[in-house]
Amino acid sequence: MLNRILSILFLLLSFASTAQKKQVVLSVTPKDAEVGETVVITVETNIKGEIALDNLPSSFSYGASSGSQMYQRMDYGTGKVITFYSISQSGVITKPGTYKIGPAYVKSRGRAHASNTVNLTVSKKTPMSNGTITQAMLNEPAFGVVQTSKSTIYEGESVVVSAKIYAKYQPTNIYNYNSFVQAKALESHSLSRSVRLKVHEEVFRGINYFAFEHDKHVVFPLGTGNFEFGPYTVDVLQGPNGYTVTSNNIAIRIKPLPPNPPSDFIGGVGQFTIERQLDTTEIKQGDVFVMLIIIEGTGNIQNILAPTLQLPKGFLIYGDPVVSENITYGARGAEGIVSYEYNVQVSSYGELKFPTTTVSYFDPDIEQYVQVGTEENTIKVTPDENFITSENSDKSNSDEALLELIPELRKKKEIRFKDTLYGSPVFWSGVSVPVLCAFFFLIFTRRREQSSDKIEARQIIRQKDKELGDFVNKGKSLIESDPNDEFFSSIEAGLRKAFEVKMNVQQERILGKTEVSEFLTSSGEIALSDRVQKLFRTCEESRYAYGAMDGLRKPSFDEFTSILKALKL
């Protein structure tokens, strides 16, 4: 009876430990915006139900909404595929201030599950400089200027640039626009959210004009010295008639960063933070754990370098990190998160300390280099007698020594005998010890190579799974877009990537449709093989249909996600 009760308790505890934690996560991009800048509010949850996002600020002007979306992700901790649901709402804030966004709610089975809240800081609209405007320009029916948010920046810092047009007649459209952003030494990202002209009346130098802004970009110029934008040309129309405008130029000055940056400088210009996460703090000697370094901030985060790791003796990194980015662009530059995922093997044992990981960046507001760091961690490692380490057995300086120490085999005690050398224990020890050392060295080398191969294979499959998720999201975003070829190419590429994950294909090659069919047929999935081949044919036939088969996009995407579900991806 007691055994039965204990078995039931064990099952209940096992179920509780593996039960899926309910999540409702609200995010806002960007978190720092200016008046009139588009922000996107997203709610993501693993609870099936009605998502409500209806308590937004009164100064929030609604834009486009994505509607309810569904997708799946792999939880590598449990090996399970989790279904997520999300909605996104875009819009602009019309007044400056700090706003509390959320909570959002998911209503399911008579209960309401609340999300987190996010603070959104909205500043006044960035003042723009027009550059030099001549009297000859004022005499024209219409003229254009290039505007910039700053006249002087540091190398790596961003600047907002846009075109502004003044006309003495009310424009209805523009034509033949040639941008001020040309193939120069710069990186630019468009901030224009609409192609419609937003014309307003404006008094400039005592004259009434119809004015509008166009082609707004956040730009990261390369190099130092003077950098010039413009000119642009455009036909400003009123009905069928119009006037060709050629704008002025505008120059900004780019200052070099101060000399002698810190050794841990990652090239960041802006404001950044760093965080470190370990998937476990208790591990067995010889096992591998995952270390995640997360850098978050605003500035040129898209161009930062990976941090330099200084790990103590007893830790070994396998391969390059898996880099993930979630970056958006706004008036303050690039904002978001860059994470670096490392696989780390522990060869020592005991309570091992992880020193802080530091990075430095340049803050243009205070014009200084700033260093930030993670917290120090302690990992408890239990010894494994079967694990053969190649490291020096002397642990007196294990906390301070770095990975660069040259490994050596474990030292053996020397035994001396007074008897005859030949045929004595000393003789046989001298013969056998090198052989045994070579034997153990070969075992260790082979074990390490096998462990390295397994980790590398896992990294490849994880990367392919991430690419599959990108294809799913891209296909979803292109359902209502114009080009057929881009949508169906994304679905076809995603379908091939799905079978690369399912079939554990680690080589970089294009997976053939015949291979996919043979794999499914050998697995007894005849019906699924027919569905997959039919979707491949639909993609091939529809890519060049030039809109004639637009009605197939939604059914094709639904079939694509249905196949992924059948494959348990």
Side-chain angles (χ1 to χ4, degrees):
M1 183 66 180
L2 180 61
N3 290 337
R4 184 175 298 177
I5 293 174
L6 291 175
S7 298
I8 294 173
L9 289 174
F10 176 79
L11 290 174
L12 291 175
L13 289 173
S14 299
F15 177 80
S17 64
T18 57
Q20 179 178 310
K21 185 179 179 181
K22 295 180 179 180
Q23 299 176 356
V24 184
V25 180
L26 182 146
S27 60
V28 179
T29 305
K31 294 180 182 177
D32 294 286
E34 63 178 28
V35 171
E37 182 179 355
T38 299
V39 296
V40 178
I41 304 170
T42 302
V43 181
E44 184 180 69
T45 179
N46 58 0
I47 306 170
K48 186 176 183 179
E50 179 185 352
I51 304 176
L53 180 62
D54 51 11
N55 54 345
L56 298 178
S58 58
S59 58
F60 183 82
S61 177
Y62 285 81
S65 175
S66 68
S68 181
Q69 306 286 336
M70 183 183 76
Y71 45 92
Q72 293 180 322
R73 290 180 186 164
M74 172 70 76
D75 184 347
Y76 292 104
T78 63
K80 294 181 179 180
V81 176
I82 301 177
T83 301
F84 285 89
Y85 309 88
S86 72
I87 63 169
S88 294
Q89 176 66 60
S90 66
V92 298
I93 300 289
T94 57
K95 295 180 181 179
T98 300
Y99 297 89
K100 179 181 177 182
I101 308 298
Y105 293 91
V106 177
K107 300 174 184 178
S108 176
R109 298 181 180 181
R111 294 186 57 189
H113 304 270
S115 75
N116 59 305
T117 61
V118 176
N119 288 330
L120 171 62
T121 302
V122 180
S123 57
K124 293 181 180 180
K125 193 170 184 178
T126 304
M128 304 287 283
S129 172
N130 285 334
T132 303
I133 299 176
T134 65
Q135 185 60 44
M137 295 169 64
L138 296 175
N139 294 335
E140 299 290 337
F143 68 91
V145 297
V146 180
Q147 300 184 120
T148 60
S149 60
K150 302 172 185 176
S151 58
T152 303
I153 62 173
Y154 276 99
E155 182 181 9
E157 192 177 0
S158 66
V159 59
V160 176
V161 188
S162 69
K164 187 169 185 179
I165 296 165
Y166 296 86
K168 296 177 181 177
Y169 54 92
Q170 186 168 5
T172 57
N173 200 0
I174 60 173
Y175 187 64
N176 287 335
Y177 176 76
N178 295 304
S179 177
F180 54 82
V181 179
Q182 304 294 337
K184 296 181 179 180
L186 58 80
E187 174 190 349
S188 67
H189 301 271
S190 177
L191 301 182
S192 298
R193 311 296 182 185
S194 174
V195 296
R196 296 179 57 188
L197 297 185
K198 296 181 179 179
V199 181
H200 64 277
E201 294 186 41
E202 182 177 328
V203 178
F204 184 76
R205 297 190 183 180
I207 302 174
N208 292 326
Y209 285 97
F210 293 96
F212 62 92
E213 291 186 4
H214 185 65
D215 196 26
K216 192 173 186 179
H217 282 74
V218 59
V219 176
F220 299 83
L222 305 178
T224 59
N226 291 330
F227 194 94
E228 191 171 85
F229 294 99
Y232 62 84
T233 60
V234 61
D235 295 336
V236 183
L237 306 179
Q238 184 182 53
N241 303 314
Y243 181 79
T244 300
V245 169
T246 300
S247 75
N248 64 349
N249 297 350
I250 191 169
I252 63 171
R253 178 170 167 253
I254 306 173
K255 299 188 294 184
L257 297 180
N260 303 319
S263 59
D264 58 357
F265 180 56
I266 57 174
V269 179
Q271 293 82 34
F272 304 93
T273 61
I274 184 172
E275 178 186 0
R276 183 174 65 200
Q277 297 177 0
L278 309 180
D279 69 342
T280 183
T281 56
E282 296 184 1
I283 194 172
K284 189 176 181 181
Q285 183 185 18
D287 285 350
V288 174
F289 67 91
V290 176
M291 177 176 66
L292 196 65
I293 303 292
I294 302 172
I295 298 177
E296 182 175 5
T298 303
N300 65 338
I301 190 169
Q302 81 283 11
N303 292 328
I304 63 172
L305 305 174
T308 301
L309 300 181
Q310 299 290 327
L311 299 185
K313 178 184 175 183
F315 295 89
L316 180 65
I317 292 179
Y318 280 100
D320 296 327
V322 177
V323 182
S324 300
E325 297 181 350
N326 184 10
I327 298 173
T328 59
Y329 295 90
R332 299 175 67 235
E335 178 180 343
I337 295 175
V338 179
S339 63
Y340 304 87
E341 182 180 314
Y342 299 87
N343 290 292
V344 185
Q345 186 185 45
V346 187
S347 59
S348 298
Y349 60 88
E351 288 200 0
L352 308 179
K353 287 187 177 180
F354 248 68
T356 180
T357 298
T358 64
V359 297
S360 293
Y361 62 89
F362 181 77
D363 189 334
D365 292 343
I366 61 176
E367 300 184 296
Q368 291 180 0
Y369 290 104
V370 178
Q371 185 183 73
V372 292
T374 66
E375 294 183 354
E376 189 178 80
N377 301 108
T378 300
I379 297 182
K380 295 181 180 179
V381 185
T382 56
D384 181 4
E385 295 179 355
N386 297 321
F387 179 76
I388 302 174
T389 179
S390 66
E391 296 177 353
N392 193 336
S393 60
D394 182 8
K395 299 182 63 181
S396 60
N397 297 319
S398 61
D399 289 337
E400 292 81 12
L402 301 178
L403 285 174
E404 286 77 11
L405 292 178
I406 301 175
E408 61 180 11
L409 295 176
R410 292 179 176 174
K411 298 178 180 178
K412 307 291 183 180
K413 291 184 179 180
E414 184 180 5
I415 304 174
R416 298 181 179 272
F417 292 91
K418 297 180 180 179
D419 298 329
T420 306
L421 179 64
Y422 182 77
S424 66
V426 174
F427 173 80
W428 291 113
S429 297
V431 173
S432 61
V433 166
V435 176
L436 289 174
C437 288
F439 176 72
F440 284 121
F441 179 77
L442 290 174
I443 292 177
F444 166 73
T445 303
R446 182 174 179 83
R447 180 170 179 173
R448 180 168 172 178
E449 288 176 352
Q450 290 174 345
S451 179
S452 178
D453 291 342
K454 289 180 181 178
I455 293 170
E456 184 179 0
R458 185 172 67 175
Q459 284 184 333
I460 292 172
I461 296 301
R462 281 192 183 182
Q463 181 62 28
K464 288 180 181 291
D465 190 67
K466 178 180 179 297
E467 293 172 1
L468 172 59
D470 293 339
F471 280 122
V472 173
N473 293 331
K474 183 178 180 181
K476 185 188 305 180
S477 66
L478 293 173
I479 291 177
E480 304 297 334
S481 62
D482 289 334
N484 261 330
D485 57 341
E486 188 173 0
F487 170 80
F488 286 103
S489 295
S490 177
I491 296 299
E492 183 177 345
L495 198 57
R496 294 182 190 274
K497 191 64 65 176
F499 281 96
E500 288 181 19
V501 175
K502 186 67 177 179
M503 298 166 61
N504 198 26
V505 176
Q506 298 176 24
Q507 299 86 359
E508 287 297 329
R509 61 184 181 86
I510 298 177
L511 194 63
K513 292 183 291 183
T514 303
E515 292 179 83
V516 173
S517 178
E518 291 176 351
F519 170 75
L520 291 174
T521 302
S522 63
S523 303
E525 300 285 352
I526 307 299
L528 183 59
S529 176
D530 293 339
R531 290 171 57 194
V532 170
Q533 295 304 317
K534 182 179 179 181
L535 184 56
F536 270 130
R537 287 194 300 271
T538 301
C539 291
E540 292 174 352
E541 294 170 358
S542 303
R543 275 185 303 191
Y544 307 106
Y546 301 102
M549 306 179 81
D550 286 346
L552 291 179
R553 292 185 192 173
K554 186 64 167 61
S556 297
F557 182 80
D558 292 342
E559 176 67 355
F560 176 46
T561 55
S562 176
I563 291 172
L564 295 184
K565 187 175 181 180
L567 294 173
K568 298 180 180 180
L569 295 177

